[in-house]
Amino acid sequence: MSVEQMAAAGALSLTHFNEEEQLFRRAVTEFAAREIRPLVREMDEQARIPRALIDKLFDLGVMGVEIPDEFGGGGATFFHSILAVEALSRVDPSVGVLVDVQNTLCINAFLRWGSDDLKRRYLPKLAAGTVGAYALSEAGSGSDAFALATRAAGRDDAFVLTGRKLWITNANEADVFIVLATIDPSAGYRGITAFIVERGFPGFTVGKKEDKLGIRASSTCELLLDDCRVPAENVLGTVGQGYKVAIETLNEGRIGIGAQMVGLSQGALDHAIAYVKERKQFGKPIADFQGVQFQIAKAATELEAARLMVYNAARLRDARLPFLTEAAMCKLFSSEMAEHVTSLAVQLFGGYGYTKDYPVEKLYRDAKIGQIYEGTSNMQMATIAKQLLA
Ligand SMILES: Cc1cc2nc3c(=O)[nH]c(=O)nc-3n(C[C@H](O)[C@H](O)[C@H](O)COP(=O)(O)OP(=O)(O)OC[C@H]3O[C@@H](n4cnc5c(N)ncnc54)[C@H](O)[C@@H]3O)c2cc1C
């Protein structure tokens, strides 16, 4: 077999990219360096992503990666979304998660569960300028997601939603929200239904924005649903199947969080490597000390392991092979790796690493969220153990 044939068969290596993947990755990497890097500190301080930058992300093609050409999207693979999230997070994980939620949760849910009518009405918008958000969590239901209390009551040809969602990423920027609510709390998870809610629907408001430790530029807000009328044709999937929509989308979404963690750790390691070559102590660059070299070697090794796990889970998903355990493992491992690697980067910068004048303290703050959202580390371990012990 030639190298090309092996690559086409996926047999060469996980980190071997085909030509299209290489071009896409390069374009996103160059965009991040040119358009995002100069804004990182300001976005963190102001806790917002400027709309002009979001428009440029749409122009770049990273906001509708898997949307088919006929709806104006990129017609590419899930793996491309993962490459985009990684490359963007290397520079700013807040931009990484904006793109991640758009592709791996929202668009993914539309593609998998949307009726032809929903796809026709929403996918062209999501490809062209509309940001999406995904609203499952509530004050009383996080890890126990299906204990949610938001109610959907059927009325004529519509549902009326009442409740509050908490922690919703992209809420400030989004115009389309996938909202999980129950049509019958006594039915448990079988009552859960997914609805497409537009920002302009009467009774819908975006509430308080959280003041966070990290990924500060990414908006995280409460959603208020006060007798919010949603047309019956805006049910995503079927009534009572919302738990499947949620589980299946989040299984894939967490590969994106793995990619975010790999990207931000690579960013931190890049900064640390450049710094240790320049910083002199005891008359020579600190990179000359074996103690420092070994720390960097270990971090790079952990990072490579995490990247391989993320790529493997993404490629399994694209090949339509089982990936549930691999996705949970890649999120668990890469988010813990990110905490170690970003902490080491701060350490290697010494006192400077502890200040906002250098980029690593932000990446250290940004890393922590990987162990919390889209299922905490304990919940990933519960998923892995359930598969192993079944
Ligand atoms: C910045 C940010 C963005 C977010 N974005 C979104 C979003 O876009 N959409 C959305 O729907 N949600 C979002 N979330 C919510 C997120 O998914 C939840 O915070 C997360 O699932 C944890 O839920 P919780 O906060 O209620 O914690 P809890 O479930 O209360 O967990 C608290 C602790 O208890 C542990 N724990 C709980 N149950 C068990 C158990 N059975 N066994 C062992 N340990 C357990 C957990 O691991 C954790 O350490 C976001 C959260 C944050 C902070």
Side-chain angles (χ1 to χ4, degrees), residues 68-386:
D69 300 347
E70 58 183 300
F71 296 121
T77 62
F78 182 78
F79 190 69
H80 282 83
S81 306
I82 293 306
L83 289 178
V85 173
E86 180 191 353
L88 296 168
S89 301
R90 188 168 177 173
V91 175
D92 194 334
S94 290
V95 178
V97 75
L98 172 99
V99 169
D100 177 60
V101 169
Q102 174 86 356
N103 287 287
T104 73
L105 293 183
C106 292
I107 291 168
N108 194 0
F110 271 98
L111 289 173
R112 186 185 284 259
W113 296 95
S115 61
D116 289 346
D117 170 60
L118 283 178
K119 286 183 185 163
R120 195 177 36 75
R121 284 196 286 133
Y122 288 102
L123 288 178
K125 290 186 192 169
L126 287 163
T130 297
V131 175
Y134 186 88
L136 173 64
S137 305
E138 300 181 2
S141 60
S143 299
D144 187 10
F146 297 146
L148 58 82
T150 297
R151 279 300 305 267
R155 212 172 288 165
D156 305 325
D157 55 352
F159 288 86
V160 175
L161 271 55
T162 308
R164 280 171 178 236
K165 294 289 172 183
L166 201 61
W167 312 117
I168 307 310
T169 300
N170 290 356
N172 265 353
E173 298 77 19
D175 282 306
V176 171
F177 297 78
I178 297 176
V179 176
L180 282 298
T182 177
I183 51 154
D184 178 6
S186 68
Y189 71 91
R190 288 180 202 280
I192 293 171
T193 306
F195 297 90
I196 307 301
V197 178
E198 295 184 27
R199 180 180 283 268
F201 283 0
F204 176 84
T205 12
V206 175
K208 178 178 160 272
K209 182 176 157 209
E210 303 298 337
D211 189 5
K212 308 193 298 291
L213 170 73
I215 55 161
R216 292 181 57 79
S218 160
S219 67
T220 313
C221 310
E222 191 182 16
L223 305 182
L224 311 172
L225 297 131
D226 183 10
D227 279 345
C228 176
R229 190 175 180 283
V230 181
E233 58 272 21
N234 275 24
V235 170
L236 184 64
T238 50
V239 172
Q241 297 273 294
Y243 71 98
K244 279 197 180 171
V245 176
I247 289 174
E248 291 187 12
T249 327
L250 288 168
N251 284 344
E252 301 187 356
R254 60 184 56 122
I255 307 174
I257 302 306
Q260 184 198 28
M261 293 296 120
V262 167
L264 76 85
S265 303
Q266 185 67 60
L269 194 60
D270 295 343
H271 291 302
I273 288 174
Y275 184 78
V276 296
K277 288 199 230 167
E278 271 182 19
R279 172 70 175 169
K280 290 201 172 89
Q281 288 293 283
F282 303 97
K284 52 185 175 180
I286 56 173
D288 285 2
F289 298 113
Q290 197 179 53
V292 169
Q293 292 170 3
F294 282 7
Q295 285 174 302
I296 287 185
K298 186 147 188 279
T301 305
E302 278 184 40
L303 174 54
E304 181 68 358
R307 178 177 285 119
L308 295 175
M309 291 174 87
V310 169
Y311 286 4
N312 185 45
R315 293 217 192 264
L316 285 172
R317 185 275 190 193
D318 275 335
R320 298 177 193 282
L321 292 166
F323 64 88
L324 171 67
T325 310
E326 289 80 358
M329 285 177 170
C330 89
K331 180 180 179 285
L332 173 70
F333 186 82
S334 56
S335 58
E336 291 183 356
M337 174 281 296
E339 191 175 354
H340 304 157
V341 171
T342 55
S343 170
L344 174 69
V346 171
Q347 191 69 25
L348 291 174
F349 270 78
Y352 297 110
Y354 205 65
T355 71
K356 290 192 187 294
D357 292 336
Y358 290 83
V360 286
E361 71 87 31
K362 174 182 177 297
L363 292 169
Y364 180 52
R365 287 188 282 111
D366 290 346
K368 183 64 202 175
I369 191 60
Q371 297 173 31
I372 298 173
Y373 60 12
E374 295 202 29
T376 64
S377 289
N378 276 359
M379 299 326 287
Q380 304 309 321
M381 287 191 272
T383 300
I384 297 163
K386 194 170 164 194

Side-chain angles (χ1 to χ4, degrees), residues 51-68:
R51 180 67 216 194
L53 178 59
I54 297 174
D55 289 340
K56 287 181 188 170
L57 292 166
F58 277 98
D59 292 344
L60 179 66
V62 292
M63 294 297 273
V65 176
E66 277 190 272
I67 295 181

